[in-house]
Amino acid sequence: MNTVAAAKELKGLCETLLCQYESDVYRKKFSALRSIFPIKDLKLIEALDERLVRAFKDKDDSLIVTLPVIVDYSHVSYIRMLGGKLVDPADEDAVWNVYQKKLKDVTLASLKKWHVSFVDNDGDRVGQSFSLYRCLSWECEHKGRAYYFCEGKWIGADESFVADLEKFVNERFVASDLPGNQFQTEGEYNSDVQKNNKSFVCLDKKNIAPPRQSQLEPCDLIRLASDKSVELIHVKFGTRSSILSHLFAQGVNSASALIALGSVRNTLVKLIKDNISGSGFGSFKKAIEARNLKVAFAIVTKKDAAKKSKVLPFFSRITLRTTIERLESMRIETKVFVVKDLR
């Protein structure tokens, strides 16, 4: 973050920045931070790093590769890994396919030496590159305590906080009635769901934003729930934290706009009228006008759905909890599906 200031303004700017740095006001809004702490014991970090290297060699399916930055996926097509290999950002097996021949020789030094970056359709890098070590996200138990690795740092958390988080989030994970995925893109999957089940309307890449405002996608799929509310389903391939952050933000932004703005609700009604292939338009219209909404996040992954929230990185679970609380504060029931990736 850069700040433009004249020389005579530097003293005041530095005082302001120091005051903000020392402030703990953020703890009131982000109370979870009180229960999370960095690991600084060098011997413990060394032992945990050994576990991390072993997990990489063993192709542990709970280990995730994700760039430690917020990324605009509209400009990203591939992840560039070892040897310039380009892989799909949503392909959870990509890291093992790329590093398969290197697994037996993996060391902590090589994880810190190998680099990963995002690239666009032309093969040009988007943003900076990072060491593979810094891009790993993982959790493990060591001597009876849980530890979390994120952005190149080991994190500990209070046991009561972890237990409460898991209970809260797991209650929103429900069995999915969406079909398994056999497609390479979310767009293909969403279109196929509507094609084979007329109770769904595909709204992937549609826009409900008010005039002169940026793109606002209502959801990927929408349907009438059994109680005649409308269920806005947001679909994402993969469990990388940056992908999930985008997914959860999309759910909140869409629902907030639909609750607040009649013009947005009217646009959604028109989109359904134009794209519906089954019956029930009148019921859709009635529920939307009454702001009778539900939100569901459909996460497409090869991971075991029985693990519920543990298919997600630790900090994504915290983000999901915050997302659920925001939606439920608007009286919007929220749930999460784990959809089987059959590719």
Side-chain angles (χ1 to χ4, degrees), residues 19 34 48 54 125 157 161 238 253 261 282 299 318 336 343:
C19 180
R34 299 175 183 173
L48 293 171
R54 196 180 319 140
R125 193 173 77 191
F161 170 78
N253 293 340
L261 300 172
I299 299 168
I318 296 175
V336 184
R343 291 176 293 175

Side-chain angles (χ1 to χ4, degrees), residues 49 52 108 111-112 114 131-136 149 152 154:
D49 277 343
L52 180 68
L108 182 62
L111 290 180
K112 292 183 176 182
W114 295 333
S131 70
L132 181 57
Y133 177 78
R134 191 176 170 191
C135 295
L136 296 176
F149 188 74
W154 284 100

Side-chain angles (χ1 to χ4, degrees), residues 38-52:
I39 302 302
K40 298 181 180 179
D41 185 314
L42 295 181
K43 288 186 177 180
L44 176 56
I45 291 173
E46 182 179 353
L48 293 171
D49 277 343
E50 288 177 4
R51 294 281 304 274
L52 180 68

Side-chain angles (χ1 to χ4, degrees), residues 68 72 74 122 158 185 197 297 302:
D72 181 357
S74 65
D122 297 322
D158 292 340
T185 69
N197 188 333
F297 298 109
K302 294 180 180 178

Side-chain angles (χ1 to χ4, degrees), residues 82-238:
L82 184 69
K85 178 72 174 177
L86 301 180
V87 300
D88 183 345
D91 185 352
E92 295 173 328
D93 291 333
V95 64
W96 312 127
N97 296 335
V98 172
Y99 295 95
Q100 181 67 44
K101 295 180 180 179
K102 298 280 188 179
L103 288 179
K104 66 178 181 179
D105 301 320
V106 170
T107 64
L108 182 62
S110 58
L111 290 180
K112 292 183 176 182
K113 178 181 177 182
W114 295 333
H115 274 66
V116 176
S117 60
F118 279 132
V119 299
D120 60 22
N121 269 327
D122 297 322
D124 296 325
R125 193 173 77 191
V126 179
Q128 66 187 103
S129 64
F130 300 90
S131 70
L132 181 57
Y133 177 78
R134 191 176 170 191
C135 295
L136 296 176
S137 177
W138 190 57
E139 63 185 83
C140 68
E141 279 196 12
H142 181 71
K143 296 185 176 180
R145 292 212 62 168
Y147 296 94
Y148 308 91
F149 188 74
C150 181
E151 298 186 13
K153 301 184 187 304
W154 284 100
I155 304 295
D158 292 340
E159 293 180 19
S160 59
F161 170 78
V162 174
D164 182 63
L165 174 67
E166 184 172 327
K167 180 178 183 297
F168 179 92
V169 176
N170 279 351
E171 287 175 351
R172 276 72 177 180
F173 275 71
V174 299
S176 172
D177 60 347
L178 290 170
N181 170 60
Q182 301 183 55
F183 298 92
Q184 294 305 309
T185 69
E186 293 164 9
E188 291 175 302
Y189 173 78
N190 295 328
S191 295
D192 189 71
V193 170
Q194 176 173 355
K195 178 181 176 182
N196 290 287
N197 188 333
K198 303 303 182 186
S199 65
F200 290 93
V201 180
C202 177
L203 298 178
D204 187 21
K205 296 183 174 61
K206 303 299 182 184
N207 185 18
I208 58 171
R212 297 180 297 281
Q213 291 194 21
S214 59
Q215 175 83 13
L216 178 61
E217 189 173 302
C219 56
D220 295 296
L221 297 164
I222 192 169
R223 66 177 170 184
L224 285 170
S226 57
D227 63 357
K228 300 301 181 183
S229 62
V230 291
E231 184 174 45
L232 305 160
I233 304 173
H234 301 270
V235 179
K236 268 286 178 268
F237 284 10

